[in-house]
Amino acid sequence: MPSSVVSAIQYDAFKAILTIIFVSGMVYKYKDVSEAIYLEMKNSGSKGLYLNKNIKGNYSFEKIK
């Protein structure tokens, strides 16, 4: 099911960085995210809800654009 908030997610296993691209065009890189968390988000029914409950506030991030 497409997300109304998250356009795409990417994961760099070597650096443990989760990149989230929002529908608005904003891009955030969340640091020190395990592959298990990435896979949970990838397979979740609602990427936006998963992001709010499990990523935001739990990982440091860098806003790219």
Side-chain angles (χ1 to χ4, degrees):
M1 169 180 248
S3 173
S4 61
V5 177
V6 177
S7 175
I9 59 173
Q10 301 168 346
Y11 185 70
D12 182 332
F14 182 72
K15 295 180 181 177
I17 294 177
L18 175 66
T19 301
I20 299 180
I21 304 164
F22 290 87
V23 172
S24 68
M26 295 187 327
V27 178
Y28 284 78
K29 290 188 181 258
Y30 289 87
K31 302 170 185 176
D32 299 319
V33 176
S34 71
E35 188 169 9
I37 293 292
Y38 159 69
L39 291 173
E40 283 181 9
M41 182 173 184
K42 179 181 173 185
N43 295 316
S44 70
S46 172
K47 309 258 184 304
L49 183 59
Y50 189 91
L51 173 69
N52 288 332
K53 289 181 81 175
N54 301 291
I55 307 292
K56 287 185 176 179
N58 294 316
Y59 297 95
S60 60
F61 65 90
E62 177 183 0
K63 183 178 179 182
I64 304 303
K65 72 174 198 178

